[in-house]
Coordinates of all heavy atoms in Angstrom, one line a residue:
M962 N 31.1 -11.2 -16.8 CA 32.4 -11.1 -16.4 C 32.6 -9.8 -15.7 O 33.3 -9.7 -14.7 CB 33.4 -11.1 -17.7 CG 34.8 -11.1 -17.3 SD 35.9 -11.3 -18.7 CE 36.1 -9.6 -19.2
L963 N 32.0 -8.7 -16.2 CA 32.1 -7.4 -15.5 C 31.5 -7.5 -14.1 O 32.1 -7.0 -13.1 CB 31.4 -6.3 -16.3 CG 31.5 -4.9 -15.7 CD1 32.9 -4.4 -15.4 CD2 30.7 -3.9 -16.7
R964 N 30.4 -8.1 -14.0 CA 29.7 -8.3 -12.7 C 30.6 -9.0 -11.7 O 30.8 -8.6 -10.6 CB 28.4 -9.0 -12.9 CG 27.6 -9.1 -11.6 CD 26.2 -9.9 -11.8 NE 25.5 -9.9 -10.6 CZ 25.6 -10.8 -9.6 NH1 26.5 -11.7 -9.7 NH2 24.9 -10.7 -8.5
Q965 N 31.2 -10.1 -12.2 CA 32.1 -10.9 -11.3 C 33.3 -10.1 -10.9 O 33.7 -10.1 -9.7 CB 32.5 -12.2 -12.0 CG 31.4 -13.2 -12.2 CD 31.9 -14.4 -13.0 OE1 32.8 -14.3 -13.8 NE2 31.2 -15.5 -12.7
A966 N 33.9 -9.3 -11.8 CA 35.0 -8.5 -11.5 C 34.6 -7.4 -10.5 O 35.4 -7.1 -9.5 CB 35.6 -7.9 -12.7
A967 N 33.5 -6.8 -10.7 CA 33.0 -5.8 -9.8 C 32.8 -6.3 -8.4 O 33.2 -5.7 -7.4 CB 31.7 -5.2 -10.3
L968 N 32.2 -7.5 -8.3 CA 31.9 -8.1 -7.0 C 33.3 -8.4 -6.3 O 33.4 -8.2 -5.1 CB 31.1 -9.3 -7.1 CG 29.6 -9.0 -7.5 CD1 28.9 -10.4 -7.8 CD2 28.9 -8.3 -6.4
A969 N 34.2 -8.9 -7.1 CA 35.5 -9.4 -6.5 C 36.3 -8.2 -6.0 O 37.1 -8.3 -5.1 CB 36.2 -10.2 -7.5
T970 N 36.2 -7.1 -6.7 CA 37.1 -5.9 -6.3 C 36.4 -4.8 -5.5 O 37.0 -3.9 -5.1 CB 37.6 -5.3 -7.6 OG1 36.5 -4.8 -8.4 CG2 38.4 -6.3 -8.4
G971 N 35.1 -4.9 -5.3 CA 34.4 -3.9 -4.6 C 34.0 -2.7 -5.5 O 33.5 -1.7 -5.0
L972 N 34.3 -2.8 -6.8 CA 33.9 -1.8 -7.8 C 32.3 -1.6 -7.7 O 31.6 -2.6 -7.8 CB 34.3 -2.2 -9.2 CG 34.0 -1.3 -10.3 CD1 34.7 0.0 -10.2 CD2 34.3 -1.9 -11.6
G973 N 31.9 -0.4 -7.6 CA 30.5 -0.2 -7.5 C 29.9 -0.5 -6.2 O 28.7 -0.6 -6.0
G974 N 30.7 -0.5 -5.1 CA 30.2 -0.8 -3.8 C 29.5 0.4 -3.1 O 29.1 1.3 -3.8
C975 N 29.4 0.3 -1.8 CA 28.6 1.3 -1.1 C 29.0 2.7 -1.3 O 28.2 3.6 -1.2 CB 28.6 0.9 0.4 SG 27.8 -0.6 0.8
G976 N 30.3 3.0 -1.5 CA 30.7 4.4 -1.6 C 30.7 4.9 -3.0 O 31.0 6.1 -3.2
T977 N 30.1 4.2 -3.9 CA 30.1 4.6 -5.3 C 29.0 5.7 -5.5 O 27.9 5.5 -5.1 CB 29.8 3.4 -6.2 OG1 30.9 2.5 -6.1 CG2 29.8 3.9 -7.7
V978 N 29.4 6.8 -6.1 CA 28.5 7.9 -6.3 C 28.0 7.9 -7.8 O 26.9 8.3 -8.1 CB 29.1 9.3 -5.9 CG1 28.2 10.4 -6.4 CG2 29.4 9.3 -4.4
G979 N 29.0 7.5 -8.7 CA 28.7 7.6 -10.1 C 29.4 6.5 -10.8 O 30.3 5.9 -10.3
V980 N 28.9 6.3 -12.0 CA 29.6 5.3 -12.9 C 29.5 5.8 -14.3 O 28.5 6.4 -14.7 CB 29.0 3.9 -12.8 CG1 27.6 3.8 -13.2 CG2 29.9 2.9 -13.5
T981 N 30.6 5.6 -15.1 CA 30.6 6.0 -16.5 C 30.9 4.9 -17.4 O 31.8 4.1 -17.1 CB 31.7 7.1 -16.7 OG1 31.4 8.2 -15.9 CG2 31.8 7.6 -18.1
L982 N 30.1 4.7 -18.4 CA 30.3 3.7 -19.4 C 30.3 4.4 -20.8 O 29.2 4.8 -21.2 CB 29.3 2.6 -19.3 CG 29.4 1.6 -18.1 CD1 28.2 0.7 -18.0 CD2 30.7 0.8 -18.2
G983 N 31.4 4.6 -21.3 CA 31.5 5.3 -22.6 C 31.1 6.8 -22.3 O 31.7 7.5 -21.5
Y984 N 30.0 7.2 -23.1 CA 29.5 8.6 -22.9 C 28.4 8.7 -21.9 O 27.8 9.7 -21.7 CB 29.1 9.2 -24.2 CG 30.3 9.4 -25.1 CD1 30.5 8.6 -26.3 CD2 31.2 10.4 -24.9 CE1 31.5 8.8 -27.1 CE2 32.3 10.7 -25.8 CZ 32.4 9.8 -26.9 OH 33.5 10.0 -27.7
S985 N 28.0 7.6 -21.3 CA 26.9 7.5 -20.3 C 27.4 7.7 -18.9 O 28.2 6.8 -18.4 CB 26.2 6.2 -20.5 OG 25.1 6.1 -19.5
I986 N 27.1 8.8 -18.3 CA 27.5 9.1 -16.9 C 26.2 8.9 -16.1 O 25.2 9.6 -16.3 CB 28.1 10.5 -16.8 CG1 29.3 10.6 -17.6 CG2 28.3 10.8 -15.3 CD1 29.9 12.0 -17.6
R987 N 26.3 8.0 -15.1 CA 25.2 7.8 -14.2 C 25.6 8.2 -12.8 O 26.6 7.8 -12.3 CB 24.7 6.3 -14.2 CG 24.5 5.7 -15.5 CD 23.4 6.3 -16.3 NE 22.2 6.0 -15.6 CZ 21.0 6.3 -16.2 NH1 20.9 6.9 -17.3 NH2 19.9 5.9 -15.5
M988 N 24.8 9.0 -12.1 CA 25.1 9.5 -10.8 C 23.9 9.2 -9.9 O 22.7 9.2 -10.3 CB 25.3 11.0 -10.7 CG 26.4 11.5 -11.7 SD 28.1 11.3 -11.1 CE 28.2 12.5 -9.8
L989 N 24.2 8.9 -8.6 CA 23.1 8.8 -7.6 C 22.3 10.0 -7.5 O 22.9 11.1 -7.5 CB 23.7 8.4 -6.3 CG 24.3 7.0 -6.1 CD1 24.8 6.8 -4.7 CD2 23.2 5.9 -6.4
R990 N 21.0 9.9 -7.4 CA 20.1 11.1 -7.3 C 20.6 11.9 -6.1 O 20.9 11.4 -5.0 CB 18.7 10.6 -7.1 CG 17.7 11.8 -7.1 CD 16.3 11.2 -6.9 NE 15.9 10.1 -7.8 CZ 15.4 10.2 -9.0 NH1 15.2 11.4 -9.5 NH2 15.2 9.1 -9.7
G991 N 20.7 13.2 -6.3 CA 21.1 14.1 -5.2 C 22.6 14.2 -5.0 O 23.1 15.0 -4.1
Q992 N 23.4 13.4 -5.8 CA 24.9 13.4 -5.6 C 25.6 14.2 -6.6 O 26.8 14.4 -6.5 CB 25.4 12.0 -5.5 CG 24.9 11.2 -4.4 CD 25.3 11.7 -3.0 OE1 26.5 12.0 -2.8 NE2 24.4 11.9 -2.1
M993 N 24.9 14.7 -7.6 CA 25.6 15.4 -8.7 C 26.2 16.7 -8.3 O 25.5 17.5 -7.6 CB 24.6 15.7 -9.9 CG 25.2 16.5 -11.0 SD 26.4 15.6 -12.0 CE 25.3 14.7 -13.1
N994 N 27.4 16.9 -8.5 CA 28.1 18.2 -8.3 C 29.2 18.4 -9.3 O 29.6 17.4 -10.0 CB 28.5 18.4 -6.8 CG 29.5 17.4 -6.4 OD1 30.4 17.1 -7.1 ND2 29.4 16.9 -5.2
A995 N 29.8 19.5 -9.3 CA 30.9 19.8 -10.3 C 32.1 18.9 -10.1 O 32.7 18.4 -11.1 CB 31.3 21.3 -10.2
R996 N 32.4 18.6 -8.9 CA 33.6 17.7 -8.6 C 33.3 16.3 -9.1 O 34.2 15.8 -9.9 CB 33.8 17.7 -7.1 CG 34.9 16.7 -6.7 CD 35.0 16.7 -5.2 NE 35.9 15.5 -4.8 CZ 35.8 14.8 -3.7 NH1 34.9 15.2 -2.8 NH2 36.5 13.8 -3.5
Y997 N 32.2 15.7 -8.8 CA 32.0 14.4 -9.3 C 31.8 14.3 -10.8 O 32.2 13.4 -11.5 CB 30.8 13.8 -8.6 CG 31.0 13.5 -7.1 CD1 30.0 13.6 -6.2 CD2 32.2 13.1 -6.6 CE1 30.2 13.4 -4.8 CE2 32.5 12.8 -5.3 CZ 31.4 13.0 -4.4 OH 31.6 12.7 -3.1
L998 N 31.1 15.4 -11.3 CA 30.9 15.4 -12.8 C 32.3 15.5 -13.5 O 32.5 14.8 -14.5 CB 30.0 16.6 -13.2 CG 29.7 16.7 -14.7 CD1 29.0 15.4 -15.2 CD2 28.8 17.9 -14.9
A999 N 33.2 16.3 -13.0 CA 34.5 16.4 -13.6 C 35.2 15.1 -13.5 O 35.9 14.7 -14.5 CB 35.3 17.5 -12.8
H1000 N 35.1 14.4 -12.4 CA 35.7 13.0 -12.2 C 35.2 12.1 -13.3 O 36.0 11.4 -14.0 CB 35.4 12.5 -10.8 CG 36.0 11.2 -10.6 ND1 37.0 11.0 -9.7 CD2 35.6 9.9 -11.0 CE1 37.3 9.7 -9.7 NE2 36.5 9.0 -10.4
E1001 N 33.9 12.0 -13.5 CA 33.3 11.1 -14.5 C 33.6 11.5 -15.9 O 33.8 10.7 -16.7 CB 31.8 11.0 -14.2 CG 31.4 10.5 -12.9 CD 32.0 9.1 -12.5 OE1 32.2 8.3 -13.4 OE2 32.3 8.9 -11.3
C1002 N 33.7 12.8 -16.2 CA 34.1 13.3 -17.5 C 35.5 12.9 -17.8 O 35.9 12.6 -19.0 CB 33.9 14.8 -17.6 SG 32.2 15.3 -17.8
R1003 N 36.4 12.9 -16.8 CA 37.7 12.4 -17.0 C 37.7 10.9 -17.4 O 38.5 10.5 -18.3 CB 38.6 12.6 -15.8 CG 40.1 12.3 -16.0 CD 40.7 13.2 -17.1 NE 42.1 12.8 -17.2 CZ 42.9 13.4 -18.1 NH1 42.5 14.4 -18.9 NH2 44.2 13.0 -18.2
H1004 N 36.8 10.1 -16.9 CA 36.7 8.8 -17.3 C 36.2 8.7 -18.8 O 36.7 7.8 -19.5 CB 35.7 8.0 -16.4 CG 36.3 7.6 -15.1 ND1 37.5 7.0 -14.9 CD2 35.7 7.7 -13.8 CE1 37.7 6.8 -13.6 NE2 36.7 7.3 -12.9
V1005 N 35.4 9.6 -19.2 CA 35.0 9.7 -20.7 C 36.3 9.9 -21.5 O 36.5 9.3 -22.5 CB 34.0 10.8 -20.9 CG1 33.7 11.0 -22.4 CG2 32.6 10.4 -20.2
Y1006 N 37.1 10.9 -21.1 CA 38.4 11.1 -21.8 C 39.2 9.8 -21.8 O 39.8 9.5 -22.9 CB 39.1 12.2 -21.0 CG 40.5 12.4 -21.5 CD1 40.8 13.1 -22.7 CD2 41.6 11.7 -20.9 CE1 42.1 13.3 -23.1 CE2 42.9 11.8 -21.4 CZ 43.2 12.6 -22.5 OH 44.4 12.7 -22.9
Q1007 N 39.3 9.1 -20.7 CA 40.1 7.9 -20.7 C 39.5 6.9 -21.7 O 40.3 6.2 -22.4 CB 40.1 7.3 -19.3 CG 40.8 8.2 -18.3 CD 40.5 7.8 -16.8 OE1 39.6 7.0 -16.5 NE2 41.3 8.4 -15.9
Y1008 N 38.2 6.8 -21.7 CA 37.6 5.8 -22.7 C 38.0 6.2 -24.1 O 38.4 5.4 -24.9 CB 36.0 5.9 -22.7 CG 35.4 5.1 -21.6 CD1 34.9 5.6 -20.5 CD2 35.2 3.7 -21.8 CE1 34.3 4.9 -19.5 CE2 34.5 2.9 -20.9 CZ 34.1 3.5 -19.7 OH 33.5 2.7 -18.8
E1009 N 38.0 7.5 -24.4 CA 38.4 8.0 -25.8 C 39.8 7.7 -26.0 O 40.2 7.4 -27.1 CB 38.1 9.5 -25.9 CG 36.6 9.8 -26.0 CD 36.3 11.3 -26.1 OE1 37.2 12.1 -25.7 OE2 35.2 11.6 -26.6
A1010 N 40.7 7.9 -25.0 CA 42.1 7.7 -25.2 C 42.5 6.3 -25.5 O 43.4 6.1 -26.3 CB 42.8 8.2 -23.9
V1011 N 41.8 5.3 -24.9 CA 42.1 3.9 -25.2 C 41.3 3.4 -26.3 O 41.7 2.3 -26.9 CB 41.9 3.0 -23.9 CG1 42.9 3.4 -22.8 CG2 40.5 3.0 -23.5
G1012 N 40.3 4.1 -26.8 CA 39.6 3.7 -28.0 C 38.2 3.1 -28.0 O 37.5 3.1 -28.9
S1013 N 37.9 2.5 -26.8 CA 36.6 1.8 -26.8 C 36.3 1.4 -25.3 O 37.2 1.4 -24.4 CB 36.6 0.5 -27.6 OG 37.4 -0.5 -27.0
I1014 N 35.0 1.1 -25.1 CA 34.6 0.6 -23.7 C 35.3 -0.7 -23.4 O 35.9 -0.8 -22.3 CB 33.1 0.4 -23.7 CG1 32.4 1.8 -23.8 CG2 32.7 -0.3 -22.4 CD1 30.8 1.7 -23.8
A1015 N 35.4 -1.6 -24.4 CA 36.1 -2.9 -24.1 C 37.5 -2.7 -23.8 O 38.1 -3.3 -22.8 CB 35.9 -3.8 -25.3
A1016 N 38.2 -1.8 -24.5 CA 39.6 -1.5 -24.2 C 39.8 -0.9 -22.9 O 40.8 -1.2 -22.1 CB 40.2 -0.7 -25.3
F1017 N 38.9 0.1 -22.6 CA 39.0 0.7 -21.3 C 38.8 -0.3 -20.1 O 39.6 -0.3 -19.2 CB 38.0 1.8 -21.1 CG 37.9 2.5 -19.8 CD1 38.7 3.5 -19.4 CD2 37.0 2.0 -18.8 CE1 38.6 4.1 -18.2 CE2 36.9 2.5 -17.6 CZ 37.7 3.6 -17.2
L1018 N 37.8 -1.1 -20.2 CA 37.5 -2.0 -19.1 C 38.6 -3.0 -19.0 O 38.9 -3.4 -17.8 CB 36.2 -2.7 -19.4 CG 34.9 -1.8 -19.2 CD1 33.7 -2.6 -19.6 CD2 34.8 -1.3 -17.8
A1019 N 39.2 -3.5 -20.0 CA 40.3 -4.4 -19.9 C 41.5 -3.8 -19.1 O 42.0 -4.5 -18.2 CB 40.8 -4.8 -21.3
V1020 N 41.8 -2.6 -19.4 CA 42.9 -1.9 -18.7 C 42.5 -1.6 -17.3 O 43.2 -1.8 -16.3 CB 43.3 -0.6 -19.4 CG1 44.3 0.2 -18.6 CG2 43.9 -0.9 -20.8
Y1021 N 41.3 -1.0 -17.1 CA 40.8 -0.6 -15.8 C 40.7 -1.7 -14.8 O 41.1 -1.7 -13.7 CB 39.5 0.1 -16.0 CG 38.8 0.8 -14.8 CD1 39.6 1.7 -14.0 CD2 37.5 0.6 -14.5 CE1 39.0 2.3 -13.0 CE2 36.9 1.2 -13.4 CZ 37.7 2.1 -12.7 OH 37.1 2.7 -11.6
L1022 N 40.1 -2.8 -15.3 CA 39.9 -4.0 -14.4 C 41.2 -4.6 -14.0 O 41.4 -5.1 -12.9 CB 38.9 -5.0 -15.0 CG 37.5 -4.5 -15.2 CD1 36.6 -5.5 -15.9 CD2 36.8 -4.1 -13.8
E1023 N 42.1 -4.6 -14.9 CA 43.5 -5.1 -14.6 C 44.1 -4.2 -13.5 O 44.8 -4.7 -12.6 CB 44.3 -5.2 -15.9 CG 45.7 -5.8 -15.6 CD 46.6 -5.9 -16.8 OE1 46.1 -5.7 -17.9 OE2 47.8 -6.1 -16.7
Q1024 N 44.0 -2.9 -13.7 CA 44.5 -2.0 -12.7 C 43.9 -2.3 -11.3 O 44.6 -2.3 -10.3 CB 44.2 -0.5 -13.1 CG 45.0 0.0 -14.3 CD 44.6 1.4 -14.7 OE1 43.7 2.0 -14.1 NE2 45.2 1.9 -15.7
I1025 N 42.6 -2.4 -11.3 CA 41.9 -2.6 -10.0 C 42.4 -3.9 -9.4 O 42.6 -4.0 -8.2 CB 40.4 -2.5 -10.2 CG1 40.0 -1.1 -10.5 CG2 39.7 -3.0 -9.0 CD1 38.6 -0.9 -10.9
A1026 N 42.5 -5.0 -10.2 CA 42.9 -6.3 -9.7 C 44.3 -6.2 -9.1 O 44.6 -6.9 -8.2 CB 42.8 -7.3 -10.8
K1027 N 45.2 -5.4 -9.7 CA 46.6 -5.3 -9.3 C 46.8 -4.5 -8.0 O 47.5 -4.8 -7.1 CB 47.5 -4.8 -10.4 CG 47.7 -5.8 -11.5 CD 48.7 -5.3 -12.5 CE 49.0 -6.3 -13.6 NZ 49.9 -5.8 -14.7
V1028 N 46.1 -3.3 -8.0 CA 46.4 -2.3 -6.9 C 45.2 -1.9 -6.2 O 45.3 -1.1 -5.2 CB 47.2 -1.1 -7.5 CG1 48.5 -1.5 -8.1 CG2 46.4 -0.3 -8.5
G1029 N 44.0 -2.4 -6.6 CA 42.8 -2.0 -5.9 C 42.2 -0.7 -6.5 O 42.8 0.0 -7.3
Y1030 N 40.9 -0.5 -6.2 CA 40.1 0.5 -6.8 C 40.7 1.9 -6.6 O 40.9 2.7 -7.5 CB 38.7 0.4 -6.2 CG 37.8 1.5 -6.7 CD1 37.2 1.5 -7.9 CD2 37.4 2.6 -5.8 CE1 36.4 2.6 -8.4 CE2 36.6 3.6 -6.2 CZ 36.1 3.6 -7.5 OH 35.2 4.6 -7.9
W1031 N 41.0 2.2 -5.3 CA 41.5 3.6 -5.0 C 42.8 3.9 -5.7 O 43.0 5.1 -6.1 CB 41.6 3.7 -3.4 CG 42.0 5.1 -3.0 CD1 43.3 5.5 -2.7 CD2 41.2 6.2 -2.9 NE1 43.3 6.9 -2.4 CE2 42.0 7.3 -2.5 CE3 39.8 6.4 -3.1 CZ2 41.5 8.6 -2.3 CZ3 39.3 7.7 -3.0 CH2 40.1 8.8 -2.5
D1032 N 43.7 3.0 -5.7 CA 45.0 3.2 -6.3 C 45.1 2.9 -7.8 O 46.2 3.1 -8.4 CB 46.1 2.4 -5.6 CG 46.3 2.9 -4.1 OD1 46.2 4.1 -3.9 OD2 46.5 2.0 -3.2
A1033 N 44.1 2.5 -8.4 CA 44.1 2.3 -9.9 C 44.5 3.6 -10.6 O 43.9 4.6 -10.3 CB 42.8 1.8 -10.4
P1034 N 45.5 3.5 -11.5 CA 45.9 4.7 -12.2 C 44.7 5.5 -12.8 O 44.8 6.8 -12.8 CB 46.9 4.2 -13.2 CG 47.5 3.0 -12.6 CD 46.3 2.4 -11.8
F1035 N 43.7 4.9 -13.4 CA 42.6 5.6 -14.0 C 41.9 6.4 -12.9 O 41.4 7.5 -13.1 CB 41.7 4.7 -14.7 CG 42.1 4.3 -16.2 CD1 41.5 3.3 -16.8 CD2 43.0 5.1 -16.8 CE1 41.8 3.0 -18.1 CE2 43.4 4.8 -18.1 CZ 42.8 3.7 -18.8
Q1036 N 41.7 5.8 -11.7 CA 41.1 6.5 -10.6 C 41.9 7.6 -10.1 O 41.4 8.7 -9.9 CB 40.8 5.5 -9.5 CG 39.6 4.7 -9.7 CD 38.3 5.5 -9.9 OE1 38.1 6.5 -9.3 NE2 37.5 5.0 -10.8
Q1037 N 43.2 7.4 -10.0 CA 44.0 8.5 -9.5 C 44.0 9.7 -10.5 O 43.9 10.8 -10.1 CB 45.5 8.0 -9.4 CG 45.6 7.0 -8.2 CD 47.1 6.6 -8.1 OE1 47.9 6.8 -9.0 NE2 47.4 5.9 -7.0
D1038 N 44.0 9.3 -11.8 CA 44.0 10.4 -12.8 C 42.6 11.1 -12.8 O 42.6 12.4 -12.8 CB 44.1 9.7 -14.2 CG 44.0 10.7 -15.3 OD1 44.9 11.6 -15.4 OD2 43.1 10.6 -16.1
A1039 N 41.5 10.4 -12.6 CA 40.2 11.0 -12.5 C 40.1 11.9 -11.3 O 39.6 13.1 -11.4 CB 39.1 10.0 -12.5
R1040 N 40.7 11.5 -10.2 CA 40.6 12.3 -9.0 C 41.4 13.6 -9.1 O 41.1 14.6 -8.6 CB 41.1 11.5 -7.7 CG 40.1 10.5 -7.2 CD 40.4 10.0 -5.8 NE 41.8 9.5 -5.7 CZ 42.1 8.2 -6.0 NH1 41.2 7.4 -6.4 NH2 43.3 7.8 -5.8
S1041 N 42.5 13.5 -9.9 CA 43.4 14.6 -10.1 C 42.7 15.7 -11.0 O 43.2 16.8 -11.1 CB 44.7 14.2 -10.7 OG 44.6 13.9 -12.1
H1042 N 41.6 15.3 -11.6 CA 40.8 16.3 -12.4 C 39.5 16.7 -11.8 O 38.7 17.3 -12.5 CB 40.6 15.7 -13.8 CG 41.9 15.7 -14.6 ND1 42.8 14.7 -14.5 CD2 42.4 16.5 -15.6 CE1 43.8 14.9 -15.3 NE2 43.6 16.0 -16.0
E1043 N 39.3 16.4 -10.5 CA 38.1 16.8 -9.9 C 38.1 18.3 -9.6 O 39.1 18.9 -9.4 CB 37.9 16.0 -8.5 CG 37.6 14.6 -8.8 CD 37.5 13.8 -7.4 OE1 37.8 14.4 -6.4 OE2 37.2 12.6 -7.5
Ligands
ZN1351 ZN1 36.3 7.1 -11.0

């Protein structure tokens, strides 16, 4: 289901530098910097705030489906903490 949602919304597409699942932050080799790390750490905070990976993904994917990846509130919040 996550794969289908990612393909449908462009999540994880060509411009993706990192991805966070719970406490696991994955970054493309050579792309790690303080700005991107702060962004991904904010996603960790968001996971903790909603309580679980499943709860986060349910909210996050709904946001992306409604307004797109860039304008999703979790993305805007993470960018504001870069
Ligand atoms: Zn993000």
